[in-house]
């Protein structure tokens, strides 16, 4: 009987859903997150430019280690820009996917 009670407790739906405007300061928090996202994108642009310069310098000077590090930097900064730009969509997708779990 103890196992059945545990399963019933796990299946209990508390009925909690995200609500907009539940706490004061939500608009300020949204502005801060938007600013941090923009700062990250601008940083990714700078990292991409620096990494591309290292890649080119390594290629033309024969520095294979610098060339490899430049390539890695380009890929990492491009991936970071992709994730930062898609942050809202990624979170919204997984949030909507999470609401379908019963």
């Amino acid at each position: 009987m103890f196992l059945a009670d545990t399963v019933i407790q796990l299946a209990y739906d508390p009925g909690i859903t995200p609500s907009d405007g539940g706490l004061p300061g939500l608009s300020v928090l949204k502005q801060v997150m938007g600013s941090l996202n923009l700062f990250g994108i601008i940083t990714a642009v700078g990292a991409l430019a620096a990494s591309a310069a290292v890649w080119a310098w390594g290629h033309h000077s024969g520095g294979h280690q610098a060339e490899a590090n430049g390539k890695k930097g380009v890929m990492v900064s491009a991936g970071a820009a992709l994730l930062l730009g898609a942050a809202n969509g990624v979170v919204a997708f997984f949030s909507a996917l999470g609401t379908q779990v019963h």
Side-chain angles (χ1 to χ4, degrees):
M1 201 61 167
F2 178 70
L3 181 62
D5 291 338
T6 304
V7 171
I8 290 172
Q9 288 296 324
L10 288 175
Y12 177 74
D13 181 15
I16 299 172
T17 57
S19 63
D20 195 15
L23 291 174
L26 188 60
S27 62
V28 174
L29 184 61
K30 286 180 181 180
Q31 288 177 344
V32 169
M33 291 300 109
S35 297
L36 285 174
N37 196 348
L38 178 62
F39 182 76
I41 290 172
I42 291 170
T43 304
V45 169
L48 183 68
S51 296
V54 169
W55 185 359
W57 175 76
H59 177 74
H60 291 293
S61 69
H64 300 293
Q65 187 69 29
E67 184 179 2
N69 286 336
K71 286 179 187 179
K72 282 190 282 188
V74 166
M75 294 307 294
V76 168
S77 57
L82 176 71
L83 288 175
L84 287 166
N88 277 340
V90 170
V91 171
F93 172 77
F94 284 107
S95 177
L97 193 62
T99 61
Q100 297 175 4
V101 176
H102 295 288

